[in-house]
Structure formats: C-alpha cells, structure tokens
C-alpha cells in the first residue's frame, strides 16, 4: 500500500497468471489491510478499471465494509478497515 493521507492508503493487488484462482489475492488483501491497520490506516482505496472483473470480485467478496464511486473508466473502492484495526490490537 501507499499512504495517501494520514489515515488512508491506496492499494493494488497483483497475482501472476499461473497462481490465480487459488485464493492468493484474498490472502494478500487481508494481509495488506492488517499491516495498514497496525500502522494507523483506517481506509484503503483501490481504483479498478471496468474490465478488471477478478479485482472487482475480490474487493466485493472481501467481507470489509466499503463504498464505491464510479467514473467513465472504472470504480474507486474505499474499504473501511476499522474492523481490521480492532482485530489487530
């Protein structure tokens, strides 16, 4: 992740083609959220292009509360990781 403000960070998740479909994206996202929470971040943002179906599904199925903003090229997902903060303490 990359911090964008004191309490927010932008994320990206990349899994090599040969390892997709094994749950690695979910594991990486959860670990990113926990690491960010331990460093005082309470929200993660990801901008996803409209044709990136796998990332869209990963974020929608991650179980974290979220809000979305859509524009002409994609969707910004804002994940509330305050639950991760509570479980990391």
């Amino acid at each position: 992740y990359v911090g964008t403000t004191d309490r927010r960070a932008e994320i990206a998740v990349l899994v090599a083609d040969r390892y997709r479909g094994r749950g690695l994206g979910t594991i990486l996202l959860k670990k990113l959220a926990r690491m960010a929470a331990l460093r005082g971040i309470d929200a993660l943002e990801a901008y996803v292009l409209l044709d990136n179906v796998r990332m869209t599904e990963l974020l929608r199925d991650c179980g974290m509360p979220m809000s979305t903003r859509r524009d002409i090229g994609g969707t910004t997902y804002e994940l509330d990781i305050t639950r991760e903060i509570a479980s990391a303490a």
Side-chain angles (χ1 to χ4, degrees), residues 7-9 11 13 29-30 32-33 41-46 55 58-68 76-82 84:
R7 311 271 316 158
R8 305 170 78 76
I11 62 162
V13 177
L29 179 59
K30 298 280 186 183
L32 276 171
I41 302 292
D42 58 22
L44 299 177
E45 289 184 353
M55 186 63 173
L58 171 67
L59 293 170
R60 286 188 179 160
D61 296 342
C62 74
M64 293 179 221
M66 75 177 67
S67 62
T68 60
T76 299
Y77 292 84
E78 182 179 314
L79 306 175
D80 176 353
I81 62 168
T82 54
E84 297 298 320

Side-chain angles (χ1 to χ4, degrees), residues 3-18:
T4 57
T5 68
D6 288 344
R7 311 271 316 158
R8 305 170 78 76
E10 183 176 352
I11 62 162
V13 177
L14 175 66
V15 176
D17 289 345
R18 68 182 187 187

Side-chain angles (χ1 to χ4, degrees), residues 35-70:
M35 288 173 50
L38 289 170
R39 288 163 179 78
I41 302 292
D42 58 22
L44 299 177
E45 289 184 353
Y47 184 77
V48 181
L49 297 175
L50 294 175
D51 64 348
N52 192 341
V53 176
R54 285 184 176 258
M55 186 63 173
T56 298
E57 289 173 350
L58 171 67
L59 293 170
R60 286 188 179 160
D61 296 342
C62 74
M64 293 179 221
M66 75 177 67
S67 62
T68 60
R69 292 184 315 277
R70 192 168 184 165

